[in-house]
């Protein structure tokens, strides 16, 4: 069974739906929590799937990312406190994406974003 076939609120036999006051196992059943969970009255569709683990650093299939390996690829991810900065894992290493610019940053740009993110001239806040 694949991860997408299991209700996102099903955790270790308990239903953790935000519609419940506390997690409970009284509303869980294999028929409801696996594959047909979208019909459950405790399921809320947020419109997007929550990404976990390395999925956070990987672009989705429909998002095409163009970059030049010699200019944009880093062996190790560079972190930044800017909320518009997104590190992404690729087959060759890591690249840094800026939401404001809507493009991949160069390695030197990623390092500057990491060190001087508060002084960025295009930050909105």
């Amino acid at each position: 069974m694949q991860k997408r076939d299991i209700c996102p609120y099903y955790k270790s036999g308990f239903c953790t739906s935000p519609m419940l006051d506390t997690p409970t196992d009284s509303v869980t059943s294999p028929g409801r929590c696996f594959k047909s969970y979208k019909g459950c009255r405790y399921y809320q569709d947020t419109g997007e799937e929550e990404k976990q683990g390395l999925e956070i650093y990987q672009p989705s299939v429909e998002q095409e990312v163009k970059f030049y390996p010699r200019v944009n690829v880093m062996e190790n991810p560079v972190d930044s406190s800017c909320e518009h900065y997104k590190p992404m894992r690729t087959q060759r290493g890591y690249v840094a994406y800026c939401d404001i610019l809507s493009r991949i940053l160069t390695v030197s740009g990623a390092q500057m974003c990491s060190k001087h993110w508060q002084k960025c001239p295009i930050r909105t806040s």
Side-chain angles (χ1 to χ4, degrees):
M1 185 172 307
Q2 295 182 359
K3 180 181 170 183
R4 64 178 160 253
D5 294 337
I6 301 172
C7 179
Y9 302 122
Y10 181 82
K11 307 281 190 242
S12 302
F14 288 87
C15 179
T16 60
S17 171
M19 296 176 73
L20 296 168
D21 293 331
T22 59
T24 181
D25 63 349
S26 64
V27 296
T28 60
S29 74
R32 185 175 28 236
C33 299
F34 306 113
K35 292 192 179 183
S36 62
Y37 63 87
K38 291 186 179 181
C40 177
R41 66 180 178 169
Y42 297 110
Y43 174 74
Q44 287 182 326
D45 188 8
T46 59
E48 58 185 61
E49 290 184 37
E50 184 177 330
K51 293 184 177 186
Q52 297 177 350
L54 281 178
E55 292 176 339
I56 296 169
Y57 297 106
Q58 295 176 343
S60 62
V61 175
E62 62 272 355
Q63 178 184 5
E64 183 179 341
V65 178
K66 295 182 181 180
F67 58 90
Y68 298 99
R70 291 186 179 198
V71 177
N72 302 109
V73 176
M74 303 171 279
E75 286 185 27
N76 298 313
V78 174
D79 290 328
S80 175
S81 296
C82 179
E83 66 271 10
H84 304 292
Y85 178 90
K86 308 264 187 292
M88 291 189 279
R89 186 182 178 104
T90 68
Q91 292 176 346
R92 297 181 184 199
Y94 293 89
V95 294
Y97 183 81
C98 177
D99 284 338
I100 298 275
L101 297 173
S102 299
R103 68 174 175 87
I104 300 293
L105 299 174
T106 61
V107 173
S108 61
Q111 291 169 345
M112 287 177 56
C113 186
S114 175
K115 293 176 186 172
H116 308 290
W117 66 273
Q118 293 173 322
K119 298 177 187 176
C120 179
I122 49 181
R123 277 181 61 84
T124 56
S125 57

